[in-house]
Amino acid sequence: MNKSVAVLLFAGLLTQPLTAAAPPYSSEAPIAYMKDLSSGAVLYNKGGDTRIPPASMAKMMTAHVAFRLIQRGELKLDTMFTVRPETWRQWHGPQAGSTMFLSAGEQVSVENLLHGIVTLSGNDACVVLAEGIAGTEQAFVAQMNEEAKRLGLKNSHFGTSNGWPDEGVTYVTAEDLASLAQATIEETPDLYKRFYAARSFTWGKTMGGADISQGNRNPILGKIAGADGLKTGHTQEAGYGFTGSAEQDGRRLVMVVAGLTSFNGRIGESVRFMDWGFKAWKAQPLFKKGAVVETAEVQLGSATTVPLVAPHNMAVTLPRTASSNIKVKVVYTGPIKAPIAKGQQIAQLIVQTPDTPPQVMPLVAGEDVAEAGLFGRIWNGMKSLFG
């Protein structure tokens, strides 16, 4: 019979409580959320579970779906898609919002369309990519919603590929946007680095034949060290929003602000918020990547235990002035039934401090454990019986 197992580690660190309070912050944004991906700690949460229109931040999902298709070999960066005249008529001119300045009948590579989406926030680029991948935009949107389910985005739904206002069909939460950003950063890291940190992109021609170069609207690029993503959004309904990320000294933060009333207000609040996340908090290292944290019991396996290892460098996030005394435990439901694959997440490391919510990090199997044959089951049973 399976039982719930909780192993408490580092009891010696519990002799003194943390004395520092969580660093104060008051966001000017109606919606503000920040998470430290290095530890899983939520550093700030103001309306993070409130449903909001994402505006162009929805394009993060469009890019994410495309990135995953590329990673799986189902889509190539040099694949060419043709701009349908009907799509061009709908998504050009001032009434179409942000545009890549595509032309009717033009052939554009997936790579350039992704630059048009990520750097230029092109509404036209989103629809051309969606139609090229799935045949119709709505068929692609169905893929977006399937991906949202896979990622566990329980309060998000997509109605378009570009976040254009659709009477509430498209909605997200700040928490879900942060989770989407995290998935892109961690699941498709090479493509994230290739596309999201570009400062500008040139595509299209003016009436006079000059090249059109547009800058990335990311308000923290060049203002916060290590900033490399992600996406702004703005409509009259949504206000000004931004999902951003930066990495400094091994700490990666993801932030979301939404509902701001001005372009400059978004810049100021985004820079101030991210700066606070790095300066007011610190990382206390726990385990290096590959370190064995604990062992777990295995049921019906070729081995009776499996090492639980850190899948990446692990740290706990603490207020800058806090001591380093923390409470750590490993939790899994076990014995864990074989077979077990090396790298499979089978446990959690839970870190508790008086000033932050529990910080939960995954632990993975350090080696493969095959399912035992009949003799192996008998032998393991005898070892268990006689200790």
Side-chain angles (χ1 to χ4, degrees), residues 90-137:
Q90 182 179 3
W91 296 108
H92 87 286
Q95 77 282 354
S98 301
T99 176
M100 184 180 171
F101 293 105
L102 295 170
S103 300
E106 182 179 17
Q107 286 198 317
V108 192
S109 69
V110 168
E111 181 171 13
N112 286 327
L113 287 170
L114 284 169
H115 281 302
I117 293 167
V118 172
T119 307
L120 310 183
S121 197
N123 292 320
D124 52 354
C126 285
V127 179
V128 171
L129 182 71
E131 292 176 341
I133 290 173
T136 68
E137 184 183 15

Side-chain angles (χ1 to χ4, degrees), residues 307-331:
L308 302 175
V309 305
H312 50 73
N313 291 341
M314 288 182 166
V316 58
T317 304
L318 302 170
R320 181 68 62 178
T321 57
S323 69
S324 299
N325 300 304
I326 53 178
K327 182 179 180 181
V328 185
K329 63 182 177 181
V330 173
V331 177

Side-chain angles (χ1 to χ4, degrees), residues 242-270:
F242 174 59
T243 300
S245 186
E247 186 174 24
Q248 295 181 12
D249 300 324
R251 282 184 69 208
R252 177 170 288 280
L253 304 183
V254 168
M255 56 155 285
V256 181
V257 290
L260 290 156
T261 58
S262 70
F263 179 88
N264 288 333
R266 177 173 63 191
I267 295 175
E269 177 59 19
S270 297

